[in-house]
Amino acid sequence: MVKEASPLEIERNVGNFAYPETHTHDAGVGLTEKTIHFISDIKEDPDWVREFRLKAYKTFLSKPMPTHWASKDLEAIVFDNIRYYLSGGTQPKRNWEDVPDDVKRTFERLGIPEQERKFLAGVEAQFDSEAVYSNIKKAVGEQGVIFVGSAEGLKNHPEIFRKWFGKVIPVGDNKFSALNSAVFSGGSFIYVPPGVKVKHPLQAYFRINAENFGQFERTLIICDEGSELTYMEGCTAPKFNTATLHSAVVELVAMKGAKLQYITVQNWSSNVFNLVTKRGIAHEDAEVKWIDCNIGSRLTMKYPGVIMKGRRARGEVLSIALAGDGQHQDTGAKMVHAADETTSNIISKSISIGQGRATYRGLVQIPKHLKNCKNNTECDALLINSTSRTDTYPAITVRGTGNSVQHEASVSQVSAEQIFYMQQRGLTEAQAMSLSVNGFVNDLVRQFPMEYSVELKRLIELEMEGSVG
Amino acid sequence: MFCVPQMSQLSITNLRVSIGEQEIIRGLSLAIPKGEVHAIMGPNGSGKSTLAKVLAGHPDYKVTSGEILMDGENIMELAPDERARKGLFLAFQYPSEIPGVTIANFLRAAVQARMPEGEELEATDYYARLYEKMDLLEMDRSFTSRSVNEGFSGGEKKRNEILQLAMLEPKYAVLDETDSGLDIDALKVVAHGVNVMRGPGRGILVITHYQRLLDYIIPDHVHVMVQGRIVRSGGKELALELEEKGYESYEEVKTTAREPALA
């Protein structure tokens, strides 16, 4: 039975509003070394971080846009027109009451404090460049769990932070990871001590409020031996006429036997370039699982990855992409097997509506010297209209004799007969479509926490309503 | 036949239907008053299934002339879902599969679609009613969590159609070849499900090729359809006669091209 419970209020129209800007710190338009010093000064970066940024900036400049394999639409990003840092201060508030009124109103409209009371163990809310609010339930904090903004993480917990920062995703991984490394601000730092199982999810909510803005949060999560954590992130922005850039880097580390689940529901408005690098390392017997839902944005490029570094490590990517008219969801997964008996699973479902385009790119590597590694890849595409488009680029490299892979791909269309059948039962064409689409993703959605599956169902319904008739 | 007021019947007058260049229904008139069960029998290709789909508003067929009134209201311009919500139900000969959508959720959406705006279906009431109807059709409870028609046997699909009929309680139900693919035990169960639905508030049209189904759902009127027309109408005994003599004698009618007999 479906229980209608506390959905996350991030539906398309709920997110489409903006309050006037009241930022006290503004790095201005364009990116130079001066911009980076400006950010480092405000954030009172330690010297190693400043150097890290400056080096990353050089890497960013030297890297070409990946237009030789990815969408030419990337050329529409004008780096000189973007504002790289905007904030009203660098210290997130611990009490909701202390958050500035306009920002508070924004998140209240998005339902953030409400959800925290209901089912979350902790919340961080980022408004443009910085976290404005960060709170963790007392009981969880007492277990030694650290949940702070990335700036606070690097200052107050350097012994853990520095060890892993930039190690899972090197600065030069790609042009956008380099850009993020140069100008990053905001994002979460989480450390879960050995054996601690965090029962309720921690959540971060990323909100872009300003026009011509680039959000570059940086998240680092470390689950120590035998610990467990679920982290969820939600994203929205109002719809501006100009392009907005969101380019995050998320690094996950699951130590021996740890279980780390990272859930994203991205619902950016259709002017946002969402170019995100996400990767996790799974040590022996550890599990890293990405659940990734991409609904909004103009162009999303995101391929969450898992490096299975220890024996019996497991990696999983479950993703749903919904490409509406004028949107391109270029998503997929990377699974790098680097130890014996490691297993990975990729299930990707995409839905293309109208002129929407969904692309799946998968990279699976199992080198020759490994034994008993397994990968399963399933990617299914659903096309709603005859103008919808889907592409699949699986790259699977398996060497050696003791490893196995399985790959299944399907493309289907909602048939006219199916819609007629449902209409004959009294459902409107839009309801019939959305039920079909929900059915298509149902087996995946069932694996999501309920709050997210209810919300996802609603988002799909909203998308489908606008796509027929 | 006495005159039934327009307000309580499904009436089809001089209906002509084409698909592409081909005319399939060629001037058909029929009235199904509430409270009655009518059967249309006819050979393959006579246009029986086309009639069922046209009544439900299938977009592939073009109605070139005639009219369809439901309780006096012209439904010709209504979308399939509007006709459905007004009380017209079609049990499909070949029901579609809907992967990933459970019977419980599908029917729930269908029942909800009939409720006034802002009113929510009470889950416990809904399930109580659903289980009651499933018991009637001797369906296992586990059916509710299976995807609609996906991987169903022919018999399971037909039971599922009748389950939906029972849940949606339409004013007029059209059963298109509901007996096809059923063994005798399943046929009895399905027929029982339909018989329970008979009543003064509901008109039922049973479309079948064989007389067999009519042993269990006994019609008030039987119509013979050949070449897109009703060529003869009579009582339940007509079905038996057809079983014995076949459709051959009627098929000659096509050469004489006379006006169809009115029901």
PDB file of all heavy atoms in Angstrom, chain B residues 127-151:
ATOM      1  N   TYR B 127      -9.506  -1.757  -0.574  1.00  0.00           N
ATOM      2  CA  TYR B 127      -8.983  -3.125  -0.547  1.00  0.00           C
ATOM      3  C   TYR B 127     -10.044  -4.141  -0.135  1.00  0.00           C
ATOM      4  O   TYR B 127     -10.088  -5.254  -0.655  1.00  0.00           O
ATOM      5  CB  TYR B 127      -7.742  -3.220   0.356  1.00  0.00           C
ATOM      6  CG  TYR B 127      -6.494  -2.830  -0.401  1.00  0.00           C
ATOM      7  CD1 TYR B 127      -6.021  -1.525  -0.369  1.00  0.00           C
ATOM      8  CD2 TYR B 127      -5.814  -3.764  -1.183  1.00  0.00           C
ATOM      9  CE1 TYR B 127      -4.900  -1.150  -1.097  1.00  0.00           C
ATOM     10  CE2 TYR B 127      -4.692  -3.400  -1.918  1.00  0.00           C
ATOM     11  CZ  TYR B 127      -4.239  -2.091  -1.872  1.00  0.00           C
ATOM     12  OH  TYR B 127      -3.144  -1.733  -2.598  1.00  0.00           O
ATOM     13  N   ALA B 128     -10.922  -3.733   0.772  1.00  0.00           N
ATOM     14  CA  ALA B 128     -12.000  -4.634   1.184  1.00  0.00           C
ATOM     15  C   ALA B 128     -12.856  -5.006  -0.038  1.00  0.00           C
ATOM     16  O   ALA B 128     -13.202  -6.169  -0.256  1.00  0.00           O
ATOM     17  CB  ALA B 128     -12.846  -3.973   2.263  1.00  0.00           C
ATOM     18  N   ARG B 129     -13.176  -3.988  -0.828  1.00  0.00           N
ATOM     19  CA  ARG B 129     -14.016  -4.209  -1.997  1.00  0.00           C
ATOM     20  C   ARG B 129     -13.268  -5.033  -3.057  1.00  0.00           C
ATOM     21  O   ARG B 129     -13.815  -5.928  -3.687  1.00  0.00           O
ATOM     22  CB  ARG B 129     -14.414  -2.846  -2.584  1.00  0.00           C
ATOM     23  CG  ARG B 129     -15.851  -2.787  -3.062  1.00  0.00           C
ATOM     24  CD  ARG B 129     -16.317  -1.350  -3.162  1.00  0.00           C
ATOM     25  NE  ARG B 129     -15.666  -0.623  -4.243  1.00  0.00           N
ATOM     26  CZ  ARG B 129     -16.009  -0.742  -5.527  1.00  0.00           C
ATOM     27  NH1 ARG B 129     -16.986  -1.564  -5.891  1.00  0.00           N
ATOM     28  NH2 ARG B 129     -15.384  -0.062  -6.459  1.00  0.00           N
ATOM     29  N   LEU B 130     -11.994  -4.714  -3.232  1.00  0.00           N
ATOM     30  CA  LEU B 130     -11.177  -5.417  -4.210  1.00  0.00           C
ATOM     31  C   LEU B 130     -11.102  -6.914  -3.874  1.00  0.00           C
ATOM     32  O   LEU B 130     -11.303  -7.776  -4.728  1.00  0.00           O
ATOM     33  CB  LEU B 130      -9.772  -4.808  -4.258  1.00  0.00           C
ATOM     34  CG  LEU B 130      -8.767  -5.433  -5.238  1.00  0.00           C
ATOM     35  CD1 LEU B 130      -9.251  -5.305  -6.677  1.00  0.00           C
ATOM     36  CD2 LEU B 130      -7.389  -4.789  -5.092  1.00  0.00           C
ATOM     37  N   TYR B 131     -10.869  -7.204  -2.582  1.00  0.00           N
ATOM     38  CA  TYR B 131     -10.745  -8.608  -2.182  1.00  0.00           C
ATOM     39  C   TYR B 131     -12.071  -9.347  -2.333  1.00  0.00           C
ATOM     40  O   TYR B 131     -12.117 -10.499  -2.733  1.00  0.00           O
ATOM     41  CB  TYR B 131     -10.244  -8.709  -0.729  1.00  0.00           C
ATOM     42  CG  TYR B 131      -8.796  -8.292  -0.572  1.00  0.00           C
ATOM     43  CD1 TYR B 131      -8.334  -7.691   0.593  1.00  0.00           C
ATOM     44  CD2 TYR B 131      -7.879  -8.514  -1.611  1.00  0.00           C
ATOM     45  CE1 TYR B 131      -7.010  -7.307   0.728  1.00  0.00           C
ATOM     46  CE2 TYR B 131      -6.550  -8.124  -1.476  1.00  0.00           C
ATOM     47  CZ  TYR B 131      -6.118  -7.523  -0.309  1.00  0.00           C
ATOM     48  OH  TYR B 131      -4.815  -7.147  -0.176  1.00  0.00           O
ATOM     49  N   GLU B 132     -13.150  -8.638  -2.058  1.00  0.00           N
ATOM     50  CA  GLU B 132     -14.484  -9.237  -2.202  1.00  0.00           C
ATOM     51  C   GLU B 132     -14.717  -9.653  -3.660  1.00  0.00           C
ATOM     52  O   GLU B 132     -15.174 -10.763  -3.955  1.00  0.00           O
ATOM     53  CB  GLU B 132     -15.521  -8.211  -1.737  1.00  0.00           C
ATOM     54  CG  GLU B 132     -16.959  -8.638  -1.866  1.00  0.00           C
ATOM     55  CD  GLU B 132     -17.886  -7.408  -1.877  1.00  0.00           C
ATOM     56  OE1 GLU B 132     -17.602  -6.435  -1.148  1.00  0.00           O
ATOM     57  OE2 GLU B 132     -18.879  -7.445  -2.635  1.00  0.00           O
ATOM     58  N   LYS B 133     -14.370  -8.736  -4.592  1.00  0.00           N
ATOM     59  CA  LYS B 133     -14.571  -9.045  -6.005  1.00  0.00           C
ATOM     60  C   LYS B 133     -13.620 -10.137  -6.480  1.00  0.00           C
ATOM     61  O   LYS B 133     -13.960 -10.941  -7.353  1.00  0.00           O
ATOM     62  CB  LYS B 133     -14.349  -7.787  -6.869  1.00  0.00           C
ATOM     63  CG  LYS B 133     -15.176  -6.590  -6.469  1.00  0.00           C
ATOM     64  CD  LYS B 133     -16.659  -6.813  -6.670  1.00  0.00           C
ATOM     65  CE  LYS B 133     -17.431  -5.552  -6.274  1.00  0.00           C
ATOM     66  NZ  LYS B 133     -18.877  -5.811  -6.182  1.00  0.00           N
ATOM     67  N   MET B 134     -12.441 -10.171  -5.915  1.00  0.00           N
ATOM     68  CA  MET B 134     -11.483 -11.202  -6.308  1.00  0.00           C
ATOM     69  C   MET B 134     -11.957 -12.574  -5.850  1.00  0.00           C
ATOM     70  O   MET B 134     -11.787 -13.567  -6.559  1.00  0.00           O
ATOM     71  CB  MET B 134     -10.102 -10.892  -5.730  1.00  0.00           C
ATOM     72  CG  MET B 134      -9.464  -9.705  -6.426  1.00  0.00           C
ATOM     73  SD  MET B 134      -7.881  -9.291  -5.738  1.00  0.00           S
ATOM     74  CE  MET B 134      -6.867 -10.481  -6.573  1.00  0.00           C
ATOM     75  N   ASP B 135     -12.543 -12.606  -4.669  1.00  0.00           N
ATOM     76  CA  ASP B 135     -13.089 -13.877  -4.174  1.00  0.00           C
ATOM     77  C   ASP B 135     -14.184 -14.374  -5.112  1.00  0.00           C
ATOM     78  O   ASP B 135     -14.253 -15.552  -5.430  1.00  0.00           O
ATOM     79  CB  ASP B 135     -13.646 -13.704  -2.756  1.00  0.00           C
ATOM     80  CG  ASP B 135     -12.534 -13.504  -1.735  1.00  0.00           C
ATOM     81  OD1 ASP B 135     -11.365 -13.757  -2.097  1.00  0.00           O
ATOM     82  OD2 ASP B 135     -12.827 -13.087  -0.600  1.00  0.00           O
ATOM     83  N   LEU B 136     -15.006 -13.438  -5.554  1.00  0.00           N
ATOM     84  CA  LEU B 136     -16.085 -13.760  -6.474  1.00  0.00           C
ATOM     85  C   LEU B 136     -15.542 -14.430  -7.739  1.00  0.00           C
ATOM     86  O   LEU B 136     -16.141 -15.354  -8.278  1.00  0.00           O
ATOM     87  CB  LEU B 136     -16.823 -12.457  -6.829  1.00  0.00           C
ATOM     88  CG  LEU B 136     -17.882 -12.492  -7.920  1.00  0.00           C
ATOM     89  CD1 LEU B 136     -19.147 -13.146  -7.383  1.00  0.00           C
ATOM     90  CD2 LEU B 136     -18.193 -11.089  -8.413  1.00  0.00           C
ATOM     91  N   LEU B 137     -14.405 -13.943  -8.195  1.00  0.00           N
ATOM     92  CA  LEU B 137     -13.819 -14.478  -9.425  1.00  0.00           C
ATOM     93  C   LEU B 137     -12.766 -15.549  -9.148  1.00  0.00           C
ATOM     94  O   LEU B 137     -11.999 -15.913 -10.034  1.00  0.00           O
ATOM     95  CB  LEU B 137     -13.205 -13.321 -10.235  1.00  0.00           C
ATOM     96  CG  LEU B 137     -14.265 -12.389 -10.822  1.00  0.00           C
ATOM     97  CD1 LEU B 137     -13.711 -11.018 -11.097  1.00  0.00           C
ATOM     98  CD2 LEU B 137     -14.860 -12.994 -12.085  1.00  0.00           C
ATOM     99  N   GLU B 138     -12.743 -16.011  -7.908  1.00  0.00           N
ATOM    100  CA  GLU B 138     -11.790 -17.043  -7.496  1.00  0.00           C
ATOM    101  C   GLU B 138     -10.370 -16.683  -7.895  1.00  0.00           C
ATOM    102  O   GLU B 138      -9.630 -17.479  -8.469  1.00  0.00           O
ATOM    103  CB  GLU B 138     -12.198 -18.423  -8.052  1.00  0.00           C
ATOM    104  CG  GLU B 138     -13.564 -18.866  -7.523  1.00  0.00           C
ATOM    105  CD  GLU B 138     -14.040 -20.196  -8.115  1.00  0.00           C
ATOM    106  OE1 GLU B 138     -13.191 -20.957  -8.605  1.00  0.00           O
ATOM    107  OE2 GLU B 138     -15.254 -20.453  -8.070  1.00  0.00           O
ATOM    108  N   MET B 139     -10.005 -15.448  -7.622  1.00  0.00           N
ATOM    109  CA  MET B 139      -8.647 -14.992  -7.904  1.00  0.00           C
ATOM    110  C   MET B 139      -7.860 -14.961  -6.615  1.00  0.00           C
ATOM    111  O   MET B 139      -8.346 -14.501  -5.587  1.00  0.00           O
ATOM    112  CB  MET B 139      -8.665 -13.573  -8.512  1.00  0.00           C
ATOM    113  CG  MET B 139      -9.251 -13.510  -9.910  1.00  0.00           C
ATOM    114  SD  MET B 139      -9.485 -11.800 -10.452  1.00  0.00           S
ATOM    115  CE  MET B 139      -7.880 -11.453 -11.128  1.00  0.00           C
ATOM    116  N   ASP B 140      -6.624 -15.409  -6.699  1.00  0.00           N
ATOM    117  CA  ASP B 140      -5.754 -15.396  -5.537  1.00  0.00           C
ATOM    118  C   ASP B 140      -5.392 -13.958  -5.171  1.00  0.00           C
ATOM    119  O   ASP B 140      -5.195 -13.109  -6.033  1.00  0.00           O
ATOM    120  CB  ASP B 140      -4.497 -16.201  -5.862  1.00  0.00           C
ATOM    121  CG  ASP B 140      -3.721 -16.540  -4.620  1.00  0.00           C
ATOM    122  OD1 ASP B 140      -2.884 -15.716  -4.188  1.00  0.00           O
ATOM    123  OD2 ASP B 140      -3.967 -17.623  -4.080  1.00  0.00           O
ATOM    124  N   ARG B 141      -5.287 -13.683  -3.870  1.00  0.00           N
ATOM    125  CA  ARG B 141      -4.943 -12.319  -3.411  1.00  0.00           C
ATOM    126  C   ARG B 141      -3.611 -11.828  -3.970  1.00  0.00           C
ATOM    127  O   ARG B 141      -3.388 -10.636  -4.132  1.00  0.00           O
ATOM    128  CB  ARG B 141      -4.872 -12.263  -1.883  1.00  0.00           C
ATOM    129  CG  ARG B 141      -6.175 -12.613  -1.198  1.00  0.00           C
ATOM    130  CD  ARG B 141      -7.009 -11.368  -0.930  1.00  0.00           C
ATOM    131  NE  ARG B 141      -8.389 -11.747  -0.684  1.00  0.00           N
ATOM    132  CZ  ARG B 141      -8.950 -11.805   0.520  1.00  0.00           C
ATOM    133  NH1 ARG B 141      -8.262 -11.495   1.576  1.00  0.00           N
ATOM    134  NH2 ARG B 141     -10.214 -12.163   0.651  1.00  0.00           N
ATOM    135  N   SER B 142      -2.728 -12.782  -4.234  1.00  0.00           N
ATOM    136  CA  SER B 142      -1.398 -12.392  -4.727  1.00  0.00           C
ATOM    137  C   SER B 142      -1.487 -11.671  -6.085  1.00  0.00           C
ATOM    138  O   SER B 142      -0.553 -10.997  -6.498  1.00  0.00           O
ATOM    139  CB  SER B 142      -0.497 -13.611  -4.863  1.00  0.00           C
ATOM    140  OG  SER B 142      -0.995 -14.450  -5.892  1.00  0.00           O
ATOM    141  N   PHE B 143      -2.627 -11.813  -6.747  1.00  0.00           N
ATOM    142  CA  PHE B 143      -2.837 -11.138  -8.029  1.00  0.00           C
ATOM    143  C   PHE B 143      -2.686  -9.629  -7.936  1.00  0.00           C
ATOM    144  O   PHE B 143      -2.230  -8.987  -8.866  1.00  0.00           O
ATOM    145  CB  PHE B 143      -4.263 -11.439  -8.525  1.00  0.00           C
ATOM    146  CG  PHE B 143      -4.276 -12.314  -9.731  1.00  0.00           C
ATOM    147  CD1 PHE B 143      -4.129 -13.683  -9.591  1.00  0.00           C
ATOM    148  CD2 PHE B 143      -4.418 -11.778 -10.994  1.00  0.00           C
ATOM    149  CE1 PHE B 143      -4.126 -14.500 -10.702  1.00  0.00           C
ATOM    150  CE2 PHE B 143      -4.414 -12.582 -12.112  1.00  0.00           C
ATOM    151  CZ  PHE B 143      -4.276 -13.951 -11.967  1.00  0.00           C
ATOM    152  N   THR B 144      -3.075  -9.069  -6.805  1.00  0.00           N
ATOM    153  CA  THR B 144      -3.080  -7.611  -6.685  1.00  0.00           C
ATOM    154  C   THR B 144      -1.693  -7.008  -6.870  1.00  0.00           C
ATOM    155  O   THR B 144      -1.563  -5.879  -7.307  1.00  0.00           O
ATOM    156  CB  THR B 144      -3.589  -7.152  -5.303  1.00  0.00           C
ATOM    157  OG1 THR B 144      -2.836  -7.849  -4.321  1.00  0.00           O
ATOM    158  CG2 THR B 144      -5.053  -7.434  -5.139  1.00  0.00           C
ATOM    159  N   SER B 145      -0.663  -7.784  -6.536  1.00  0.00           N
ATOM    160  CA  SER B 145       0.680  -7.215  -6.633  1.00  0.00           C
ATOM    161  C   SER B 145       1.371  -7.595  -7.939  1.00  0.00           C
ATOM    162  O   SER B 145       2.539  -7.281  -8.139  1.00  0.00           O
ATOM    163  CB  SER B 145       1.523  -7.644  -5.430  1.00  0.00           C
ATOM    164  OG  SER B 145       1.526  -9.039  -5.337  1.00  0.00           O
ATOM    165  N   ARG B 146       0.636  -8.266  -8.827  1.00  0.00           N
ATOM    166  CA  ARG B 146       1.236  -8.563 -10.135  1.00  0.00           C
ATOM    167  C   ARG B 146       0.971  -7.419 -11.108  1.00  0.00           C
ATOM    168  O   ARG B 146      -0.030  -6.723 -11.021  1.00  0.00           O
ATOM    169  CB  ARG B 146       0.646  -9.861 -10.692  1.00  0.00           C
ATOM    170  CG  ARG B 146       1.182 -11.102  -9.964  1.00  0.00           C
ATOM    171  CD  ARG B 146       0.536 -12.369 -10.454  1.00  0.00           C
ATOM    172  NE  ARG B 146       0.839 -12.664 -11.850  1.00  0.00           N
ATOM    173  CZ  ARG B 146       0.329 -13.710 -12.505  1.00  0.00           C
ATOM    174  NH1 ARG B 146      -0.480 -14.559 -11.872  1.00  0.00           N
ATOM    175  NH2 ARG B 146       0.639 -13.920 -13.755  1.00  0.00           N
ATOM    176  N   SER B 147       1.916  -7.247 -12.036  1.00  0.00           N
ATOM    177  CA  SER B 147       1.735  -6.190 -13.032  1.00  0.00           C
ATOM    178  C   SER B 147       0.560  -6.537 -13.932  1.00  0.00           C
ATOM    179  O   SER B 147       0.369  -7.701 -14.280  1.00  0.00           O
ATOM    180  CB  SER B 147       2.986  -6.050 -13.885  1.00  0.00           C
ATOM    181  OG  SER B 147       4.039  -5.576 -13.108  1.00  0.00           O
ATOM    182  N   VAL B 148      -0.190  -5.528 -14.326  1.00  0.00           N
ATOM    183  CA  VAL B 148      -1.412  -5.713 -15.102  1.00  0.00           C
ATOM    184  C   VAL B 148      -1.144  -6.534 -16.372  1.00  0.00           C
ATOM    185  O   VAL B 148      -0.397  -6.107 -17.248  1.00  0.00           O
ATOM    186  CB  VAL B 148      -2.041  -4.353 -15.490  1.00  0.00           C
ATOM    187  CG1 VAL B 148      -3.287  -4.553 -16.353  1.00  0.00           C
ATOM    188  CG2 VAL B 148      -2.390  -3.557 -14.244  1.00  0.00           C
ATOM    189  N   ASN B 149      -1.724  -7.710 -16.408  1.00  0.00           N
ATOM    190  CA  ASN B 149      -1.693  -8.619 -17.571  1.00  0.00           C
ATOM    191  C   ASN B 149      -0.305  -9.130 -17.967  1.00  0.00           C
ATOM    192  O   ASN B 149      -0.187  -9.920 -18.906  1.00  0.00           O
ATOM    193  CB  ASN B 149      -2.344  -7.969 -18.805  1.00  0.00           C
ATOM    194  CG  ASN B 149      -3.821  -7.711 -18.575  1.00  0.00           C
ATOM    195  OD1 ASN B 149      -4.502  -8.535 -17.960  1.00  0.00           O
ATOM    196  ND2 ASN B 149      -4.313  -6.583 -19.034  1.00  0.00           N
ATOM    197  N   GLU B 150       0.721  -8.703 -17.270  1.00  0.00           N
ATOM    198  CA  GLU B 150       2.063  -9.104 -17.671  1.00  0.00           C
ATOM    199  C   GLU B 150       2.308 -10.559 -17.310  1.00  0.00           C
ATOM    200  O   GLU B 150       2.239 -10.943 -16.147  1.00  0.00           O
ATOM    201  CB  GLU B 150       3.124  -8.212 -17.024  1.00  0.00           C
ATOM    202  CG  GLU B 150       4.450  -8.276 -17.743  1.00  0.00           C
ATOM    203  CD  GLU B 150       5.532  -7.448 -17.063  1.00  0.00           C
ATOM    204  OE1 GLU B 150       5.485  -7.292 -15.825  1.00  0.00           O
ATOM    205  OE2 GLU B 150       6.421  -6.965 -17.752  1.00  0.00           O
ATOM    206  N   GLY B 151       2.566 -11.355 -18.308  1.00  0.00           N
ATOM    207  CA  GLY B 151       2.816 -12.778 -18.097  1.00  0.00           C
ATOM    208  C   GLY B 151       1.573 -13.562 -17.707  1.00  0.00           C
ATOM    209  O   GLY B 151       1.682 -14.689 -17.231  1.00  0.00           O
TER     210      GLY B 151
END
